[in-house]
């Protein structure tokens, strides 16, 4: 919307505004209101806690699932924006609509996620998020017309919005008691970033070989593997309670 109304300067202005708003929100947090022990996941086990965090079976399985998910998901929005920008000759409007719909859907799903988590549990959030992407790839690959951008990008928001909430909760449960939540989550996010980066190479190759439809179907199909892997590993990736109990300092 900002790009449609104000062009590139509008996008830059919006980024500056959101950065200042985020800084103001962070500055409003009072230090004495933070439970530092809880924020660190309980007792800090030092080097042992570090090794426990990175060797946790649930953590690396979570990383693998997210790598596959983002490998499938990352290029689809860009390909859709590129495809219809060329076909319709309106790159700014097409990109704004494509991005805006997914972002709005993402915000709505992120807002609903806490209620869904309490009602259905963490595994259900993952399953819905991971299932949205294969469906998205199928819609994008098998349908035509710009109107289909709306349901396709709504599904993008469903997947990304729920994954964005579910991932740190899963990491917190897996790493409880190690004192290495930030390290473990950062490792997971790094792995998923590798998947997202490599996906663009594959998407470009597939588009060149068989067109946009092939790329959509292939990446949606790859994402189906993430759903299958999660179902197989769900007990380790999304435990109902923290995976490690707090250790006795005297031990």
């Amino acid at each position: 919307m900002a790009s449609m109304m104000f062009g590139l300067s509008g996008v830059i202005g919006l980024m500056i505004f959101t950065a200042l708003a985020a800084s103001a929100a962070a500055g409003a947090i009072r230090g004495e209101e933070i439970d530092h022990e809880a924020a660190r996941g309980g007792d800090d086990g030092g080097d042992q806690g570090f090794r426990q965090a990175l060797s946790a079976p649930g953590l690396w399985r979570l990383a693998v699932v997210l790598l596959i998910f983002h490998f499938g998901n990352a290029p689809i929005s860009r390909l859709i924006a590129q495809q219809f920008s060329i076909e319709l000759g309106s790159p700014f409007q097409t990109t704004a609509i494509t991005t805006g719909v997914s972002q709005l859907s993402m915000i709505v799903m992120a807002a609903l996620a806490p209620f869904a988590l309490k009602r259905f549990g963490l595994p259900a959030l993952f399953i819905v998020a991971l299932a949205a992407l294969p469906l998205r790839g199928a819609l994008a690959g098998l349908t035509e017309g710009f109107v289909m951008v709306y349901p396709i990008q709504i599904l993008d928001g469903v997947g990304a919005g729920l994954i964005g909430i579910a991932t740190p909760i899963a990491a917190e449960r897996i790493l409880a008691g190690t004192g290495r939540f930030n390290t473990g989550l950062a490792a997971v996010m790094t792995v998923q970033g590798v998947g997202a980066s490599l996906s663009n190479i594959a998407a470009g190759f597939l588009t060149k070989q068989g067109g946009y439809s092939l790329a959509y179907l292939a990446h949606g199909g790859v994402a189906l593997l993430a759903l299958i892997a999660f179902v197989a590993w769900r007990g380790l990736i999304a435990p109902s309670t923290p995976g490690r109990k707090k250790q006795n300092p005297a031990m």
Side-chain angles (χ1 to χ4, degrees):
M1 183 65 70
S3 63
M4 291 176 63
M5 297 178 62
F6 305 106
L8 184 59
S9 60
V11 177
I12 295 174
L14 182 60
M15 293 176 64
I16 294 174
F17 172 78
T18 54
L20 292 175
S23 299
I29 299 174
R30 298 166 57 187
E32 60 269 21
E33 294 178 345
I34 301 174
D35 186 336
H36 293 281
E37 182 180 359
R40 291 172 173 81
D43 289 336
D44 188 344
D47 291 338
Q48 182 179 4
F50 184 83
R51 289 193 295 270
Q52 284 181 332
L54 295 186
S55 64
L59 189 72
W60 69 258
R61 284 174 169 83
L62 173 63
V64 169
V65 168
L66 292 178
L67 182 148
I68 299 171
F69 173 83
H70 286 280
F71 182 87
N73 187 59
I76 294 181
S77 289
R78 288 189 286 272
L79 289 177
I80 289 175
Q82 176 180 301
Q83 177 185 355
F84 286 103
S85 293
I86 295 172
E87 291 182 5
L88 302 178
S90 55
F92 288 109
Q93 292 85 343
T94 300
T95 303
I97 293 172
T98 302
T99 305
V101 171
S102 64
Q103 292 295 317
L104 180 60
S105 174
M106 190 184 306
I107 292 170
V108 172
M109 294 309 302
L112 294 176
F115 303 99
L117 178 64
K118 291 180 181 179
R119 178 66 176 84
F120 302 107
L122 185 59
L125 260 66
F126 271 107
I127 289 173
V128 173
L130 296 171
L133 182 50
L135 179 57
R136 183 183 182 222
L139 282 176
L142 299 175
T143 59
E144 298 180 359
F146 185 74
V147 68
M148 293 307 298
V149 165
Y150 293 94
I152 291 168
Q153 291 304 94
I154 287 173
L155 287 172
D156 180 36
V158 171
L162 293 180
I163 282 289
I165 298 295
T167 297
I169 295 174
E172 185 275 330
R173 292 183 181 181
I174 293 168
L175 299 172
T178 66
R180 298 294 180 175
F181 169 75
N182 286 332
T183 300
L185 182 60
V188 169
M189 302 297 283
T190 299
V191 172
Q192 79 171 36
V194 170
S197 299
L198 294 177
S199 69
N200 292 300
I201 300 174
F205 173 79
L206 291 169
T207 303
K208 184 177 180 180
Q209 295 299 315
Y212 290 104
S213 293
L214 175 61
Y216 298 144
L217 292 172
H219 280 277
V222 167
L224 186 60
L225 298 177
L227 177 59
I228 295 172
F230 174 79
V231 171
W233 296 333
R234 64 187 181 278
L236 291 171
I237 294 176
S240 57
T241 57
R244 294 182 176 84
K245 293 182 180 180
K246 185 175 178 180
Q247 301 174 353
N248 188 335
M251 294 179 63

